Amino acid sequence: MFCVPSTEIGTIMNITKGGLVLFSANSNSSCMELSKRIAERLGVEMGKVQVYQEPNRETRVQIQESVRGKDVFIIQTVSKDVNTTIMELLIMVYACKTSCAKSIIGVVPYFPYSKQCKMRKRGSIVSKLLASMMCKAGLTHLITMDLHQKEIQGFFNIPVDNLRASPFLLQYIQEEIPDYRNAVIVAKSPASAKRAQSFAERLRLGIAVIHGEAQDAESDMVDGRHSPPTAKYVAAIHPSLEIPMLIPKEKPPITVVGDVGGRIAIIVDDIIDDVDTFLAAAETLKERGAYKIFVMATHGLLSSDAPRLIEESAIDEVVVTNTIPHEIQKLQCPKIKTVDISMILSEAIRRIHNGESMSYLFRNIGVDD
């Protein structure tokens, strides 16, 4: 596992005041690896707590030490059972609240339901619902990483620190890709062009954008605003009113804007879950002459058959952080590599507990990062 070294952070990591309690809210032992790494960096023991499922699938939490008047940090990494993960966090937060904790800070590296942050047809904005539930349960602060949409921070009425994994991924590129100067940063769709531009400017590399791929769920063709009657019924309702119809979008043939011939292509995104779009992008880049293809993402959900599909694809390496446990997927696909981000989460916890400024962790971070 790759870990970004930092002498400045490393020398001060263990300096924490008393009154800090660190809990892991996971009942799944495979999800506790990140919590253990953070505790080790902070030089503290994990708090004593029991989290388990009753035979009827109800979640039960038993805190086994005093949290009265203390700063409680609850680390929750998302397992495959997302809804159970959420209930574990909410119940533990509420248990700490009723046990008179001074403050309750959630450390949720990957914020679940973050893709459901816009209205879809007659659905709902689930991210807003989840944010309200967390605040109502008693959360006083949230630490997360690379939200799918930064506007999600506005759903909370508590402070939210949206940390970035890009410094760790950039350092991986510089140290683990020998010929990275011959690389080009690729956005697999125009929607991710800003992220690709940020990477390219920091590495002093070129950028390419793939345009014309199949319609995805983030498009505005599914935003639910086609609920009024169709055109043939409008005249019957309002005979004197003629509403101009918006011309439907039509995707052009797949085009790569930028030169990737004879270059290393590095596709960047925030989440890699359903890998179909990444596989299609890799095939397109191969056809355009890219001789090596990397995929970089913060959150590696890698659901379903993703490891097998990656192993059989034109992708040479997939690099993700350990915001989500994926050790099983790595056994299925040696192409998957991990970057450890426990260092920045540990430093965020230390600074919040000690009442120090968080600006150090956001140096040179722009709006588009």
Side-chain angles (χ1 to χ4, degrees):
M1 184 175 288
F2 179 83
C3 179
V4 179
S6 174
T7 306
E8 185 176 350
I9 291 181
T11 55
I12 60 177
M13 191 63 72
N14 290 336
I15 305 175
T16 56
K17 299 176 183 177
L20 180 147
V21 181
L22 202 64
F23 286 132
S24 174
N26 285 110
S27 58
N28 188 342
S29 58
S30 65
C31 296
M32 296 182 65
E33 181 62 29
L34 181 61
S35 304
K36 292 176 182 176
R37 285 176 174 270
I38 291 173
E40 184 179 344
R41 288 185 179 278
L42 288 169
V44 300
E45 297 289 332
M46 290 298 301
K48 297 174 183 176
V49 63
Q50 271 192 324
V51 184
Y52 58 95
Q53 310 299 318
E54 297 278 14
N56 62 357
R57 300 301 297 162
E58 288 184 0
T59 299
R60 186 175 290 273
V61 173
Q62 296 284 350
I63 297 175
Q64 298 177 323
E65 63 179 86
S66 174
V67 296
R68 183 179 295 274
K70 295 181 179 179
D71 292 332
V72 178
F73 291 83
I74 302 174
I75 303 168
Q76 183 68 318
T77 50
V78 176
S79 67
K80 293 297 180 186
D81 190 350
V82 178
N83 296 326
T84 298
T85 298
I86 292 169
M87 285 307 300
E88 289 171 346
L89 175 63
L90 294 175
I91 293 172
M92 182 171 288
V93 168
Y94 189 63
C96 292
K97 177 183 177 181
T98 54
S99 298
C100 301
K102 177 185 175 184
S103 61
I104 306 165
I105 299 94
V107 183
V108 187
Y110 170 67
F111 188 74
Y113 286 97
S114 59
K115 285 190 174 183
Q116 297 190 48
C117 59
K118 297 178 182 178
M119 183 65 75
R120 302 293 185 207
K121 297 186 179 180
R122 293 178 179 85
S124 61
I125 304 175
V126 185
S127 292
K128 168 62 177 173
L129 172 64
L130 184 53
S132 300
M133 291 166 64
M134 287 182 175
C135 295
K136 189 67 176 177
L139 207 65
T140 60
H141 198 135
L142 178 68
I143 301 171
T144 187
M145 180 165 280
D146 281 338
L147 288 168
H148 185 57
Q149 296 288 341
K150 298 176 186 65
E151 292 77 9
I152 293 175
Q153 295 176 82
F155 294 162
F156 291 84
N157 55 15
I158 58 175
V160 177
D161 286 310
N162 182 29
L163 303 175
R164 307 296 198 275
S166 52
F168 296 84
L169 296 175
L170 288 167
Q171 189 162 353
Y172 184 95
I173 292 172
Q174 292 173 316
E175 295 184 356
E176 301 298 321
I177 303 178
D179 196 20
Y180 84 92
R181 289 293 181 189
N182 186 37
V184 59
I185 306 298
V186 179
K188 67 179 178 64
S189 69
S192 55
K194 285 186 177 180
R195 179 181 296 270
Q197 181 183 356
S198 173
F199 273 68
E201 289 176 353
R202 281 170 166 75
L203 293 168
R204 279 56 170 177
L205 299 176
I207 182 174
V209 180
I210 300 176
H211 180 50
E213 72 277 16
Q215 189 73 47
D216 59 30
E218 292 294 317
S219 72
D220 23 345
M221 289 187 70
V222 292
D223 70 352
R225 299 180 190 182
H226 55 278
S227 54
T230 53
K232 63 181 180 180
Y233 297 115
V234 171
I237 299 172
H238 299 287
S240 62
L241 181 63
E242 291 186 7
I243 301 175
M245 298 297 293
L246 188 66
I247 298 172
K249 291 182 180 179
E250 184 176 334
K251 287 281 186 179
I254 291 179
T255 306
V256 178
V257 182
D259 181 24
V260 297
R263 313 281 287 278
I264 299 172
I266 303 175
I267 305 172
V268 296
D269 213 335
D270 61 330
I271 299 172
I272 176 168
D273 185 7
D274 179 9
V275 297
D276 290 345
T277 55
F278 290 94
L279 302 184
E283 289 296 333
T284 301
L285 293 169
K286 276 288 185 184
E287 292 171 5
R288 300 301 195 279
Y291 73 90
K292 218 169 189 180
I293 298 171
F294 291 80
V295 174
M296 297 269 175
T298 302
H299 309 295
L301 276 69
L302 303 169
S303 302
S304 190
D305 289 335
R308 178 182 61 80
L309 294 172
I310 292 170
E311 185 65 26
E312 297 171 357
S313 73
I315 297 172
D316 293 281
E317 195 168 288
V318 173
V319 182
V320 292
T321 72
N322 56 345
T323 55
I324 297 171
H326 49 261
E327 294 305 315
I328 295 175
Q329 288 90 331
K330 287 176 70 175
L331 293 175
Q332 297 170 342
C333 177
K335 291 182 180 180
I336 300 172
K337 308 297 181 185
T338 308
V339 173
D340 179 25
I341 45 80
S342 63
M343 178 181 295
I344 192 169
L345 293 174
S346 304
E347 180 64 5
I349 291 172
R350 190 195 68 80
R351 286 175 176 269
I352 290 171
H353 175 61
N354 290 348
E356 299 176 17
S357 171
M358 294 287 285
S359 61
Y360 175 80
L361 303 180
F362 293 93
R363 293 171 302 167
N364 302 321
I365 298 293
V367 175
D368 297 329
D369 291 319

